[in-house]
Amino acid sequence: MGRRAGVVASVAAGVWLAAAGIAVAQPALDPGTFDASHIPPRTAFAVRTMVPGAGWGTANQYQERAALSLAKLYLADFALKHGDGSAEDRDLGERMIRKSDDAAADRIAAKYPYAIDSEAAEYHLRATHGQGNWELSTTSTADIADFLAAKLRDEPDSPILAWMEQPAERAADGTRQDWGTARLPQVYGTKWGWADLGDPEVASVSFGPGFTVAAHTYGTPEQQTEDVLAAWSTVLPEMSPKR
């Protein structure tokens, strides 16, 4: 059994036992310790566990913001689940996730123009909208964290998760992929996003054993990493983040 399948299986078993009235160990993540008062409003931050509806974050976690290249997760998921099943779609999906390839996203979006809005409806993502152009699409950190948690619960062997575990060191445009939620302890896989024009704006979403975490920052990769590490220190203070 792969590590993602093992994590999901153990969480699912724990949920079932708890429902049956049998005492089980609680997740290490404790929402009661989360204090977002020191997180600048430039960053929206959301954490989810594998229990549907269980999670927490900053007050702006539901704020609709630019999806940036996190939209490629929605595009890839739609193509894999509802596309024509072609090898080309799978190749384009891998390029979108591992290398954040814009050209691959353009081709999938042209082929499936309603993909993002369809994903929003399927996963009940209230702040996620396609806007007729994936580069203009929106989402929230709550939406993307919920989406990724659903993938872990319901489809732990999804190629999307495997691709997130094996990102290219540099994206197709040469951007180094190494900031934000990827710097947290026990993270298995990450997808990043960034703005190519205008003021700096970055996003990242990751998953680990029993959790997903997403962040969006009106600022630089370095600022997002700073804010994410500060937020995580209140979620699980005994764990030392990677710096």
Side-chain angles (χ1 to χ4, degrees):
M1 181 181 289
R3 63 181 179 180
R4 278 178 280 113
V7 166
V8 173
S10 63
V11 170
V15 172
W16 183 88
L17 290 171
I22 301 172
V24 294
Q26 296 300 307
L29 301 176
D30 180 8
T33 67
F34 187 68
D35 176 12
S37 61
H38 61 303
I39 310 303
R42 68 190 179 193
T43 292
F45 180 82
V47 180
R48 296 293 184 266
T49 71
M50 295 303 96
V51 179
W56 57 100
T58 52
N60 57 2
Q61 65 171 312
Y62 300 102
Q63 186 179 75
E64 187 172 324
R65 296 187 175 196
L68 306 175
S69 282
L70 300 192
K72 293 167 184 169
L73 290 168
Y74 301 140
L75 291 172
D77 187 56
F78 183 90
L80 289 173
K81 292 174 61 178
H82 306 296
D84 61 14
S86 66
E88 178 187 42
D89 279 4
R90 188 180 179 92
D91 176 65
L92 292 172
E94 181 175 1
R95 285 164 51 188
M96 282 193 292
I97 306 308
R98 296 189 62 235
K99 302 187 70 175
S100 202
D101 190 321
D102 287 353
D106 289 342
R107 290 172 62 181
I108 287 292
K111 189 173 182 180
Y112 308 113
Y114 302 108
I116 293 174
D117 290 322
S118 295
E119 290 284 291
E122 180 176 349
Y123 291 95
H124 309 290
L125 310 176
R126 296 183 178 181
T128 301
H129 305 285
Q131 310 291 6
N133 182 338
W134 76 265
E135 292 184 292
L136 301 178
S137 63
T138 60
T139 195
S140 66
T141 55
D143 276 3
I144 196 70
D146 284 338
F147 163 80
L148 197 57
K151 297 304 295 180
L152 284 170
R153 284 194 308 268
D154 303 333
E155 198 181 352
D157 293 325
S158 169
I160 289 174
L161 301 175
W163 296 331
M164 288 178 69
E165 288 186 275
Q166 300 176 333
E169 181 178 343
R170 292 188 180 275
D173 69 358
T175 299
R176 189 173 181 85
Q177 303 187 121
D178 65 350
W179 74 81
T181 58
R183 300 288 294 277
L184 295 174
Q186 296 194 17
V187 158
Y188 290 166
T190 303
K191 178 72 187 80
W192 296 265
W194 56 96
D196 294 324
L197 301 172
D199 295 333
E201 185 176 349
V202 297
S204 57
V205 62
S206 301
F207 68 90
F211 71 90
T212 65
V213 55
H216 181 288
T217 302
Y218 294 123
T220 65
E222 293 76 18
Q223 288 173 316
Q224 177 166 110
T225 299
E226 177 185 350
D227 293 348
V228 164
L229 295 183
W232 194 257
S233 68
T234 70
V235 175
L236 208 59
E238 67 271 21
M239 294 179 68
S240 300
K242 296 179 288 185
R243 295 182 182 271

